[in-house]
Amino acid sequence: MTPADATIARAIRSLLGTRAPTSSICPSEAARALESDDAAWRALMPEVRRVAALLVTLGEIEITQRGQVVTSEVVGPIRLRRGPRFIAPPHPGGEGEQNRHAQPDPASTE
């Protein structure tokens, strides 16, 4: 994954992390989060869809069309939702990712 891909992936994860676990986002929301100019975010859409397909292979997200999970090669409008391996990124000023998902150590004496 390139640095630009990582930025797109971070935008997707961040948007999904702020929504209810069963909610989805439009890929254009991620593009708009990165580019405010209409032409620029539209030009970014193929890259957003490509990075979304990479996140599908990692199990982090699922791509849906009309509410059904589809392959990344689908044509037309799609939505992105959390996959089985999705971990919400830490919120600014909030707990870190590890703290929110860590299980207490049963051997701990604290």
Side-chain angles (χ1 to χ4, degrees), residues 9-93:
R10 210 169 15 258
I12 292 169
R13 289 183 193 112
S14 177
L15 287 165
L16 287 172
T18 62
R19 307 286 170 88
T22 56
S23 294
S24 64
I25 63 166
C26 179
S28 67
E29 292 178 68
R32 287 182 181 124
L34 299 170
E35 295 287 349
S36 59
D37 177 71
D38 193 53
W41 75 255
R42 288 181 187 278
L44 192 58
M45 285 300 296
E47 294 304 304
V48 171
R49 288 178 75 119
R50 184 181 58 75
V51 171
L54 289 173
L55 294 176
V56 166
T57 66
L58 298 172
E60 290 189 45
I61 68 168
E62 295 175 329
I63 297 174
T64 64
Q65 190 172 54
R66 296 183 197 102
Q68 301 298 314
V69 175
V70 294
T71 66
S72 57
E73 294 86 31
V74 70
V75 177
I78 60 171
R79 305 269 313 161
L80 310 177
R81 69 181 184 195
R82 296 178 182 198
R85 294 190 178 143
F86 181 84
I87 298 175
H91 294 284

